[in-house]
């Protein structure tokens, strides 16, 4: 999902890890292991994800371009499960002990113990489609889910399919974790995606469009319009569309034109009446036009229908014989070579220009297309027959997002407006809360979109920018909005003389142009702008404010799971911790120094930081749960993440399950783990929740022998997150906050909660009603109702 086209669903994910007694223990370095090379990777997008990065961060549920891993027998990350002696644990900062790949008493794990990640992603997008197909989903939300499904699939082809084809072409692709050859994986993708696209078209044609028509919202084709409406659209065509159209002929003097990715096009056949010769031309639908044009109030027609109805205006004196709509998807995955001497900004700008000319990976055409014209397109685009998808029109249903935005509240989810977090709210004043005063007394655990982003995180940074006692602000920016108040606050702070360091990740997929723009704007205002470490994306979500208070300096911090994006914060489910804890402040100071300078610090007090300590920190804590279980102490593992693919973590969870440790996994998108397999994963349950908000937070909770450990942060359990990004998990120390997060995880994975359940064969089954036929609880509605009860309001 990109930008506003991503919506609330997307392979998204949550994760967290735990470490209470051995907080911040230095973990072994894994970057020297095979397969840990730094390589940029795409963002996966959301389910009902409105807008993005998408797939992740920002608006998008989109796919992720992980490296192709070796077969299971030579997995890149050997499973090292820490199983410490039941004796008292070592003091803080002592390294966690780790055992060998196999526990001495454990049998080798089955070779084919992983699910295919590509099929798992397609299964995620199928869950999005199921929401569109469900008559119980509000009607305009169904249209929005169709838009999200289409946007997700576009990104999947642009990144995952394109990357697989490139690896096959260069001979570097290896067998998948399931043992399939790369070509077999690709054929599987073609078959499965075709089935899903046919289902999407049928859902639109037979269900959503007719239901919208019954509610007075008509999605029509040109012949269905009245004469008055056609006349009105002809006027619109002459005034606003015709001047920007450029028909391109194809003949010996005019080579076949370049077809840009994701553009709608008309393949037009014309005849010269003087000579009788037939000619072919291509007309591109200008991308800045609305996808559906309003012929009259709440009566819409695809823009290509309006152009097609007036082709004679483009080819005067010629006889228009036929027209056919088609659309091409291209490889838009960036390959930027980084080294210490290269100007990354300039290299990325050059690569963005090259992205427009990536090879095609999919051709969509209306099923009525002439076979001869289709053969011409296939030949000229150099595309395979398997990559051609003929479908009922209209193509490109991402435009349904505009229809979903119509002001028809009775056809949408009930309106919910987030309120100020109760610990930040002023009881008898309309003024903004003194966030620094609150944080001096207690940490604040935020849960967006149920808690307002604007009156918490945004206000925190705005107050810091305006406060004369604030000396410095340090901030990471992965994605943000075009009119970002966060960027404005940082600029204000710099202009008032404060030291402002901003780490802008300009390689955030599909947001590269926007981030380059903001980086330059921040630099011009006097901010110190850096772009992270060579070979690593900076994906962590961090803010640090340094404030003079009397004779001392106090540090205030925010660590979150979501981007500093005020718009998507209303649509993405995320968590954040606001704190004045001295250890967190010191950790963030050390980490920012590492990101902006030459610090080599790898150990922290309350943080786990990828790529050095995060995976090993999680493996150590999984091992401890095994030890606790063996000793008869409370032991359990609960994880909320957007995706789980990492073989080392999965194998560690299998080992925990073999020992009898209960494991609950709440995943939005991709899951390569097989739950419920006898003798391997019988105690593991995997659930997925999709709905009005994009589940995006990552939480890791461990029973820890009765002294629970809970972590939250930015990292998913994928190679790109654990090996090729700067990711951060923070340990939650407040007992009330740990209890809140534990209850949230329990609710999301409970059998009484509406969700999809993953079976050992990789099939997802929707559980929406109980044995009594009544609807199961909706975890998102539970959160909304809880906030409404606190405020004593129905709004």
């Amino acid at each position: 999902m990109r930008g506003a086209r991503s919506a609330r669903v997307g392979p998204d994910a949550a994760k967290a890890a735990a470490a209470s007694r051995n907080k911040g223990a230095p973990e072994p370095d894994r970057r020297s292991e095979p397969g840990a090379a730094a390589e940029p990777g795409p963002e996966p997008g959301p389910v009902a994800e409105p807008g993005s990065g998408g797939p992740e961060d920002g608006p998008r549920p989109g796919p992720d371009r992980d490296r192709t891993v070796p077969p299971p027998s030579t997995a890149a990350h050997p499973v090292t499960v820490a199983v410490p002696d039941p004796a008292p644990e070592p003091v803080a900062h002592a390294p966690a002990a780790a055992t060998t790949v196999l526990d001495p008493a454990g049998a080798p794990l089955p070779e084919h113990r992983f699910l295919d990640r590509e099929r798992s992603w397609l299964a995620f997008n199928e869950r999005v489609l199921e929401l569109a197909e469900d008559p119980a989903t509000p009607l305009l939300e169904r249209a929005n889910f169709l838009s999200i499904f289409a946007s997700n699939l576009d990104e999947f082809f642009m990144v995952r399919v394109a990357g697989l084809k490139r690896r096959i072409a260069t001979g570097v692709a290896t067998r998948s974790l399931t043992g399939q050859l790369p070509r077999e994986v690709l054929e599987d993708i073609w078959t499965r995606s075709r089935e899903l696209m046919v289902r999407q078209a049928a859902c639109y044609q037979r269900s959503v469009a007719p239901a919208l028509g019954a509610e007075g919202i008509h999605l029509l084709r040109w012949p269905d319009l009245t004469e008055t409406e056609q006349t009105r659209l002809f006027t619109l065509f002459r005034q606003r569309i015709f001047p920007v159209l450029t028909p391109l002929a194809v003949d010996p003097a005019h080579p076949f034109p370049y077809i840009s990715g994701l553009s709608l096009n008309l393949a037009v056949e014309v005849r010269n009446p003087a000579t009788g010769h037939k000619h072919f031309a291509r007309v591109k639908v200008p991308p800045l036009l609305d996808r559906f044009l309003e012929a009259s109030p709440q009566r819409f027609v695809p823009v290509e229908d309006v152009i097609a109805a007036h082709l004679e205006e483009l080819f005067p004196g010629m006889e228009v014989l036929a027209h056919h709509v088609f659309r091409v998807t291209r490889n838009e995955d960036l390959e930027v070579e980084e080294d210490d001497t290269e100007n990354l900004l300039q290299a990325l700008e050059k690569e963005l220009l090259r992205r427009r000319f990536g090879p095609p990976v999919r051709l969509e055409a209306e099923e009525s297309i002439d076979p001869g014209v289709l053969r011409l397109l296939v030949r000229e685009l150099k595309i395979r027959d398997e990559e051609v998808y003929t479908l009922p029109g209209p193509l490109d249903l991402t435009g349904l997002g505009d229809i979903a935005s119509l002001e028809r509240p009775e056809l949408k989810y009930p309106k919910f407006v987030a309120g100020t977090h109760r610990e930040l709210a002023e009881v008898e004043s309309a003024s903004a809360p003194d966030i620094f005063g609150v944080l001096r007394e207690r940490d604040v655990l935020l849960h967006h979109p149920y808690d307002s982003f604007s009156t918490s995180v945004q206000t925190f940074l705005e107050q810091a920018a305006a406060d004369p006692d604030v000396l410095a602000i340090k901030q990471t920016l992965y994605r943000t909005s075009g009119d970002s108040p966060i960027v404005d606050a940082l600029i204000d702070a710099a202009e008032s003389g404060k030291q402002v360091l901003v780490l802008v990740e300009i390689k955030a997929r599909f947001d590269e142009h926007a981030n380059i723009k903001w980086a330059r704007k921040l630099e011009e205002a006097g901010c110190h702008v850096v772009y992270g470490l060579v070979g690593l994306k900076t994906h962590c979500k961090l803010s640090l404010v340094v404030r003079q208070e009397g004779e001392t300096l106090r540090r205030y911090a925010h660590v979150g799971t979501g981007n500093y994006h005020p718009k998507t914060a209303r649509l993405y489910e995320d968590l954040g911790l606001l704190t004045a804890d001295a250890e967190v402040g010191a950790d963030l100071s050390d980490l920012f120094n590492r990101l902006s300078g030459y610090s080599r610090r790898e150990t922290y007090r309350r943080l786990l930081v990828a790529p050095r300590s995060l995976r090993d920190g999680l493996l150590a804590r999984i091992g401890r749960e095994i030890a606790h279980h063996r000793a008869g102490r409370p032991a359990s593992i609960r994880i909320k993440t957007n995706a789980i693919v990492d073989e080392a973590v999965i194998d560690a969870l299998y080992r925990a399950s073999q020992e009898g440790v209960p494991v609950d996994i709440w995943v939005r998108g991709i899951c390569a783990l097989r739950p419920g397999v006898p003798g391997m994963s019988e105690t593991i349950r995997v659930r997925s929740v999709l709905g009005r908000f994009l589940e995006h937070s990552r939480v890791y909770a461990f029973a820890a022998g009765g002294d629970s450990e809970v972590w939250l942060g930015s990292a998913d359990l994928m190679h790109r997150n654990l090996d090729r990004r700067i990711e951060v998990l923070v340990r939650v120390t407040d007992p009330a906050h740990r209890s809140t997060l534990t209850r949230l995880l329990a609710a999301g994975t409970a059998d009484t909660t509406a969700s999809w359940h993953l079976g050992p064969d990789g099939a997802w089954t929707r559980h929406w009603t109980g044995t009594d036929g009544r609807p199961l609880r909706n975890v998102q509605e539970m959160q909304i109702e809880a906030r409404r009860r606190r405020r004593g309001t129905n709004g």
Side-chain angles (χ1 to χ4, degrees):
M1 303 177 191
R2 293 182 308 289
R5 287 171 47 173
S6 317
R8 305 180 276 273
V9 178
D12 173 54
K15 56 180 157 309
S20 64
R21 305 183 194 64
N22 193 21
K23 59 185 179 181
E27 306 293 347
D29 180 11
R30 285 183 165 273
R31 293 205 302 179
S32 62
E33 294 183 1
E39 175 186 346
E43 251 337 91
V47 180
E49 164 191 47
S52 166
E56 182 301 73
D57 285 332
R60 98 181 81 255
D64 157 65
R65 183 176 61 80
D66 262 339
R67 57 166 171 73
T68 302
V69 297
S73 58
T74 58
H77 299 287
V79 183
T80 306
V81 180
V83 186
D85 210 21
E89 297 185 67
V91 295
H93 308 303
T99 61
T100 55
V101 172
L102 290 180
D103 182 75
L109 291 168
E111 182 180 3
H112 299 300
R113 60 192 179 276
F114 303 110
L115 296 171
D116 181 71
R117 60 155 300 148
E118 314 302 349
R119 283 193 67 92
S120 185
W121 188 92
L122 289 170
F124 151 73
N125 212 26
E126 182 179 18
R127 299 197 291 281
V128 180
L129 182 57
E130 287 182 25
L131 289 174
E133 294 170 330
D134 185 357
T137 303
L139 186 53
L140 284 178
E141 304 293 351
R142 295 178 66 188
N144 195 44
F145 282 119
L146 284 176
S147 170
I148 293 166
F149 170 89
S151 179
N152 286 350
L153 200 59
D154 285 348
E155 188 170 326
F156 179 74
F157 272 90
M158 289 188 293
V159 178
R160 291 299 306 178
V161 176
L164 181 59
K165 287 188 64 178
R166 182 176 60 249
R167 292 194 295 274
I168 291 173
T170 55
V172 299
T174 61
R175 288 182 182 269
S176 71
L177 287 177
T178 60
Q180 287 183 297
L181 292 168
R183 175 69 187 186
E184 293 173 330
V185 174
L186 195 56
E187 290 172 350
D188 204 16
I189 290 172
W190 288 332
T191 299
R192 190 72 185 108
S193 60
R194 191 181 311 278
E195 293 170 354
L196 293 176
M197 291 170 70
V198 169
R199 272 178 60 182
Q200 180 203 25
C203 179
Y204 172 80
Q205 297 281 353
R206 302 172 190 171
S207 183
V208 172
L212 286 170
E215 293 291 343
I217 302 173
H218 300 277
L219 302 179
L220 309 168
R221 304 308 297 261
W222 182 262
D224 302 322
L225 300 177
T226 66
E227 185 176 346
T228 300
E229 288 170 333
Q230 290 183 350
T231 301
R232 183 181 298 117
L233 288 175
F234 174 69
T235 301
L236 176 69
F237 174 83
R238 294 289 297 175
Q239 294 176 349
R240 293 180 47 205
I241 300 176
F242 177 80
V244 297
L245 294 178
T246 304
L248 296 174
V250 177
D251 56 33
H254 301 87
F256 191 84
Y258 175 79
I259 310 296
S260 54
L262 300 186
S263 64
L264 274 175
N265 301 271
L266 294 175
V268 184
E269 296 176 274
V270 298
R271 179 164 53 205
N272 186 329
T275 65
H277 291 162
K278 294 182 180 180
H279 302 277
F280 175 86
R282 171 256 190 163
V283 178
K284 178 180 178 179
V285 177
L288 296 181
L289 297 175
D290 291 339
R291 180 69 189 87
F292 292 92
L293 301 178
E294 194 167 20
S296 59
Q298 299 204 355
R299 286 172 60 85
F300 300 89
V301 65
V303 61
E304 66 269 22
D305 281 18
V306 178
I307 296 173
H310 302 99
L311 287 173
E312 292 82 358
E313 302 290 323
L314 291 172
F315 303 97
M318 303 293 283
E319 180 183 355
V320 177
L321 301 177
H323 67 273
H324 314 281
V325 180
F326 70 97
R327 184 173 184 256
V328 175
T329 309
R330 292 185 176 275
N331 177 350
E332 295 202 18
D333 197 14
L334 292 180
E335 290 293 321
V336 181
E337 296 296 331
E338 299 178 52
D339 59 53
D340 292 305
T341 62
E342 183 179 35
N343 185 316
L344 179 59
L345 213 60
Q346 294 178 357
L348 187 62
E349 287 179 313
K350 292 178 183 177
E351 186 63 23
L352 287 170
L353 292 175
R354 289 195 291 270
R355 171 191 270 176
R356 295 180 54 246
F357 302 99
V361 293
R362 179 179 58 164
L363 170 62
E364 299 169 85
E366 287 195 331
E367 59 187 7
S368 59
I369 190 169
D370 178 80
V373 173
L374 184 58
R375 285 194 298 271
L376 171 67
L377 294 175
V378 169
R379 182 179 69 250
E380 294 295 340
L381 291 169
K382 297 180 174 59
I383 201 165
R384 301 179 62 91
D385 290 340
E386 299 92 335
E387 297 172 309
V388 177
Y389 297 78
T390 55
L391 301 161
L395 304 178
D396 187 15
L397 294 183
T398 60
L400 288 175
D402 295 332
I403 302 299
S405 66
L406 292 173
E407 286 299 320
R408 293 289 299 274
E410 75 278 13
L411 302 179
K412 300 181 181 182
Y413 289 120
K415 187 176 182 180
F416 170 70
V417 178
T420 300
H421 189 286
R422 58 183 174 182
E423 293 178 350
L424 298 177
E426 289 287 340
V427 178
E428 297 180 355
S429 172
S431 62
D434 175 9
I435 292 186
F436 297 127
V438 172
L439 297 184
R440 283 192 292 271
E441 298 179 6
R442 69 183 76 89
D443 289 355
V444 175
L445 178 67
L446 301 167
H447 195 185
H448 310 299
Y450 314 108
D451 299 321
S452 169
F453 179 88
S454 63
T455 60
S456 56
V457 179
Q458 181 179 323
T459 299
F460 169 64
L461 290 168
E462 289 173 341
Q463 287 186 357
D467 189 338
D469 292 327
V470 168
L471 305 180
I473 301 174
K474 299 185 179 185
Q475 175 79 42
T476 63
L477 284 180
Y478 192 77
R479 302 184 197 277
T480 189
S481 59
D483 53 349
S484 173
I486 303 296
V487 172
D488 291 343
L490 296 172
I491 289 174
D492 290 344
E495 291 178 343
S496 67
K498 295 176 172 59
Q499 292 293 311
V500 179
L501 171 71
V502 187
L503 198 145
V504 179
E505 182 46 78
I506 57 172
K507 300 188 298 297
R509 187 169 304 279
F510 299 120
D511 275 354
E512 298 93 347
H513 278 299
N515 286 8
I516 289 173
K517 173 185 174 183
W518 288 122
R520 288 183 168 146
K521 183 176 180 180
L522 288 162
E523 285 179 324
E524 290 169 1
C527 299
H528 302 292
V529 178
V530 296
Y531 305 107
L533 304 178
V534 171
L536 297 172
K537 276 190 180 182
T538 303
H539 188 250
C540 49
K541 325 297 183 182
L542 308 173
S543 296
L544 179 65
V545 172
V546 182
R547 190 171 188 266
Q548 182 77 49
E549 297 183 359
E551 297 299 318
T552 63
L553 294 180
R554 188 187 296 267
R555 288 174 283 208
Y556 299 85
H558 173 261
V559 181
T561 68
N563 298 303
Y564 292 95
H565 198 303
K567 292 181 180 178
T568 59
R570 297 192 289 269
L571 300 167
Y572 284 38
E573 179 272 342
D574 272 303
L575 293 160
L577 183 69
L578 283 169
T579 182
D581 179 81
E583 287 190 330
V584 174
D587 278 348
L588 292 193
S589 290
D590 291 339
L591 180 55
F592 273 110
N593 288 342
R594 178 186 172 195
L595 295 175
S596 64
Y598 292 107
S599 168
R600 292 180 55 81
R601 174 177 288 276
E602 300 295 348
T603 61
Y604 300 88
R605 302 156 188 85
R606 275 182 60 184
L607 303 182
L608 291 175
V609 180
R612 291 285 181 173
S613 65
L614 205 153
R615 176 190 284 108
D616 291 296
L618 292 178
L619 294 178
R621 285 152 183 88
I622 293 171
R624 291 175 196 168
E625 293 307 299
I626 294 175
H628 287 309
H629 184 77
R630 288 175 177 173
R633 294 187 292 266
S636 67
I637 300 167
R638 286 190 170 120
I639 294 174
K640 183 177 188 294
T641 183
N642 292 303
I644 174 168
V645 174
D646 188 76
E647 301 95 326
V649 174
I650 292 175
D651 280 352
L653 293 173
Y654 286 153
R655 291 299 180 197
S657 180
Q658 288 178 325
E659 293 285 343
V661 178
V663 179
D664 282 325
I665 299 174
W666 177 354
V667 62
R668 186 190 73 205
I670 303 169
C671 181
L673 179 150
R674 293 183 185 270
V677 177
M680 183 176 76
S681 56
E682 292 174 78
T683 67
I684 301 179
R685 301 187 307 167
V686 179
R687 304 287 186 260
S688 183
V689 173
L690 305 183
R692 67 185 296 175
F693 302 129
L694 172 69
E695 292 290 331
H696 192 250
S697 65
R698 294 90 164 176
V699 184
Y700 301 89
F702 304 86
D707 184 13
S708 67
E709 246 188 85
V710 182
W711 300 71
L712 65 84
S714 58
D716 290 315
L717 298 177
M718 308 181 78
H719 308 121
R720 67 174 191 182
N721 299 94
L722 303 180
D723 295 321
R724 304 194 299 273
R725 289 184 174 186
I726 302 295
E727 302 276 16
V728 169
L729 298 180
V730 62
R731 182 165 54 86
V732 179
T733 56
D734 186 297
H737 293 165
R738 296 203 306 266
S739 178
T740 295
L741 293 173
T742 301
R743 289 196 306 271
L744 173 66
L745 295 178
T749 56
D751 288 336
T752 53
T753 297
S755 62
W756 281 262
H757 297 189
L758 179 61
D761 60 351
W764 290 88
T765 305
R766 191 179 185 190
H767 290 254
W768 231 235
T769 57
T771 54
D772 57 1
R774 295 182 181 179
L776 296 176
R777 300 183 305 168
N778 182 301
V779 70
Q780 296 184 350
E781 294 301 323
M782 290 163 57
Q783 296 297 317
I784 289 175
E785 288 305 316
R787 295 314 190 277
R788 285 173 173 163
R789 286 195 301 271
R790 290 175 192 168
R791 300 203 302 264
T793 175
N794 294 323

